[in-house]
Amino acid sequence: MPETEEGILRSEFRWAVIAVGMVSVIMLALIYAGLVQHINPPSNIETIDPNTLHLTGEFTEADLGTFVDATGQVTSRIVATQFTFQPQCFVVPANRLVTLRFASPDVVHGILITGTNVNTMVVPGYVSQVHTVFTKTGDLLMPCHEYCGLGHSQMWATVRVVPEDEFKPDAAGRASCASG
Ligand code: CUA
């Protein structure tokens, strides 16, 4: 078939429409994931002053660990510091949405929880937030996976996943490994 000028223009226009359409679908999927499904970068781009972490706000010692708020939302706050986690063990219920929030007062750490998809860096100056649902009960290992100094290999915590009916926060909404 002989190519006419008009035929070539039509063909180019068709491909332009396809390309713009594909890019639009990808852009809409990204916007939908971010705004509707709340799928964001692990850092959540939330800043915090590493120098006053332990003095004020949600990462003071009394507020660390797992809390359930009035709406039933489960949140665990953990400080990653050379070379330990605070608390060393935290408890979460299985099959419920759990929000994990991490902060570091010193250097860059990283965490993963074995057997789950939880994996994030913990960078001083930022709150690292992860939403997840634990489906398997038991004690899971949460090691630091970013070299942070001489004690790096000794830095880990335990995530205790208990069946929902064994998850019993106290009157203040607090649940810890000691209380079960
Ligand atoms: Cu903290 Cu390695």
Side-chain angles (χ1 to χ4, degrees):
M1 181 181 106
E3 287 284 11
T4 62
E5 173 92 20
E6 204 186 324
I8 291 168
L9 282 177
R10 234 196 328 267
S11 165
E12 284 181 344
F13 180 72
R14 208 156 40 227
W15 281 109
V17 168
I18 290 170
V20 168
M22 277 163 46
V23 170
S24 303
V25 167
I26 294 167
M27 292 298 290
L28 286 174
L30 285 174
I31 292 167
Y32 179 80
L35 295 184
V36 181
Q37 298 188 305
H38 303 291
I39 297 173
N40 296 304
S43 74
N44 200 35
I45 321 181
E46 209 181 314
T47 56
I48 190 166
D49 183 355
N51 295 315
T52 57
L53 204 65
H54 57 300
L55 301 175
T56 171
E58 61 176 303
F59 287 97
T60 50
E61 197 172 346
D63 286 337
L64 296 179
T66 302
F67 286 87
V68 186
D69 73 12
T71 66
Q73 168 65 50
V74 182
T75 305
S76 300
R77 293 185 180 84
I78 299 102
V79 167
T81 182
Q82 289 168 315
F83 300 98
T84 187
F85 290 99
Q86 243 187 321
Q88 275 277 283
C89 176
F90 62 96
V91 64
V92 290
N95 302 314
R96 256 172 88 174
L97 183 67
V98 173
T99 299
L100 307 177
R101 288 169 67 76
F102 299 90
S104 164
D106 41 46
V107 300
V108 176
H109 301 274
I111 63 102
L112 62 79
I113 302 178
T114 47
T116 72
N117 65 348
V118 176
N119 187 334
T120 184
M121 304 299 291
V122 185
V123 181
Y126 296 89
V127 176
S128 298
Q129 177 169 279
V130 177
H131 304 290
T132 193
V133 175
F134 294 96
T135 52
K136 220 173 57 185
T137 58
D139 280 5
L140 305 178
L141 188 66
M142 185 179 83
C144 178
H145 69 34
E146 179 70 24
Y147 183 75
C148 50
L150 286 179
H152 163 70
S153 61
Q154 311 300 318
M155 185 171 169
W156 71 82
T158 302
V159 184
R160 183 159 298 161
V161 186
V162 298
E164 223 185 318
D165 54 356
E166 287 174 30
F167 181 73
K168 294 193 172 76
D170 66 15
R174 186 187 189 119
S176 70
C177 287
S179 63

